Amino acid sequence: MEALGTLYCIQPRIPAIGHSDSASFHCFTRRKSLILTSSLLSSFFPFHQPSALAQLELLQLEEDRVVQIFQDTSSSVVSIKDLELTKVPKSTSDKLLAEDENAKVEGTGSGFIWDKFGHIVTNYHVVAKLAADKSGLQLCKVSLVDASGNSITREGKIVGFDPAYDLAVLKVDAVGNELKPVALGTSHELRVGQSCYAIGNPYGFENTLTTGVISGLGREIPSPNGRAIRGAIQTDAAINAGNSGGPLMDSYGHVIGVNTATFTRKGSGISSGVNFAIPIDTAVRIVPYLIVYGTPYTDRY
């Protein structure tokens, strides 16, 4: 093939306007010939151009799809609040009232319901103080909605954690309440540019939805124990303080990652648009070990 500007001689099937000789020849560059072909198709096949009404319908379908993703998934996302008690509570009921007794709120985070047995997946750094607590003064309160739409608050007891991947599992007592686990997806077939959605509790604002795209794959981010977490998902869906531990979802509402970190300007606390999630394939590999053994597989040998 010659360069793009090479001239091509074509014999038009339709007589040129103002000429009666149907056999006349005209020369065009490749670009001009493509423009002519496009304009001819548009004039003879006007249905190729979507009407304004059709465009509005497409926009409405897209909005409806995002709304449906939120409605289907938000009840599987939980709010986690870390408290430091002023004294060791005498009973579980005292623990749940602790916030009313001016207990210190140390932070908020997010998580999602893993199964119907009350297991909650979140980031290790969200519950790190609870995991290391020896005094009994640390409390984790989990607020969630059951499958019937009832709002409940329970104490989250730590089951297992893996700082190397910034993952932890809590368990809440949900006897009498049917929980709705998330729909798990896969992360090994993700592509840069595809849409994604994050639900969490940034700055304590529960059930907040942010949207974006997959900005990059195979990223490396630091873990709480100083090691590198490889294969992280990069997204521009806003992830701020309080989003940590919440789900990152694809266009089908399937969880593809665990939101975990954002790059910010030092001291600003504002999301830069460079945000990261732990791939769900990593969580699927690690979480069952944490539920059964309490520690990651590598720590047991």
Side-chain angles (χ1 to χ4, degrees):
M1 296 295 290
E2 300 292 337
L4 185 60
T6 302
L7 296 176
Y8 285 85
C9 289
I10 61 171
Q11 182 178 4
R13 296 178 180 272
I14 302 169
I17 298 175
H19 295 270
S20 59
D21 183 5
S22 61
S24 59
F25 286 80
H26 298 271
C27 291
F28 303 88
T29 64
R30 177 182 293 181
R31 180 174 294 179
K32 289 182 178 179
S33 67
L34 289 173
I35 293 173
L36 175 65
T37 303
S38 177
S39 61
L40 287 173
L41 286 172
S42 297
S43 59
F44 279 89
F45 303 99
F47 53 82
H48 282 283
Q49 298 179 341
S51 65
L53 180 60
Q55 291 178 352
L56 288 174
E57 289 177 347
L58 289 174
L59 288 173
Q60 185 62 53
L61 287 173
E62 173 65 16
E63 285 188 355
D64 290 344
R65 183 176 61 84
V66 176
V67 170
Q68 193 64 48
I69 290 173
F70 176 79
Q71 292 178 342
D72 290 344
T73 312
S74 60
S75 59
S76 302
V77 181
V78 308
S79 173
I80 298 173
K81 185 174 291 186
D82 291 326
L83 302 174
E84 183 178 359
L85 309 181
T86 56
K87 59 181 180 179
V88 178
K90 297 179 181 179
S91 65
T92 301
S93 59
D94 289 340
K95 283 187 176 183
L96 294 179
L97 293 173
E99 188 176 1
D100 299 327
E101 298 176 355
N102 299 317
K104 180 182 177 182
V105 179
E106 296 194 328
T108 60
S110 305
F112 54 89
I113 300 172
W114 182 262
D115 56 31
K116 293 186 176 182
F117 301 105
H119 291 111
I120 307 292
V121 171
T122 186
N123 283 144
Y124 167 76
H125 74 260
V126 172
V127 295
K129 289 189 175 182
L130 178 66
D133 180 43
K134 302 296 183 181
S135 65
L137 295 176
Q138 296 295 325
L139 171 66
C140 178
K141 292 178 69 173
V142 179
S143 299
L144 63 154
V145 177
D146 66 12
S148 300
N150 302 311
S151 297
I152 57 177
T153 299
R154 296 288 187 271
E155 178 188 0
K157 297 182 178 180
I158 197 154
V159 171
F161 53 88
D162 186 353
Y165 287 97
D166 200 9
L167 290 172
V169 178
L170 299 173
K171 191 174 189 303
V172 297
D173 181 4
V175 176
N177 298 90
E178 183 181 358
L179 302 183
K180 182 183 178 183
V182 296
L184 296 177
T186 183
S187 53
H188 71 275
E189 294 181 347
L190 295 177
R191 296 173 296 170
V192 173
Q194 73 179 78
S195 298
C196 60
Y197 311 88
I199 298 180
N201 311 287
Y203 304 109
F205 293 103
E206 296 185 4
N207 282 332
T208 297
L209 171 71
T210 55
T211 67
V213 297
I214 302 296
S215 306
L217 297 167
R219 303 308 194 199
E220 188 173 297
I221 58 175
S223 69
N225 68 357
R227 298 181 181 179
I229 301 176
R230 295 180 174 85
I233 302 167
Q234 181 185 336
T235 176
D236 65 348
I239 296 174
N240 293 287
N243 273 113
S244 293
L248 184 70
M249 298 164 296
D250 61 15
S251 297
Y252 299 97
H254 297 160
V255 177
I256 56 175
V258 184
N259 299 321
T260 188
T262 183
F263 278 150
T264 63
R265 291 185 178 180
K266 188 174 182 180
S268 70
I270 301 173
S271 174
S272 62
V274 182
N275 311 299
F276 300 97
I278 300 165
I280 195 62
D281 290 356
T282 300
V284 167
R285 187 176 72 249
I286 292 174
V287 167
Y289 283 105
L290 299 183
I291 292 175
V292 175
Y293 300 104
T295 60
Y297 179 83
T298 53
D299 287 355
R300 293 185 290 111
Y301 297 96

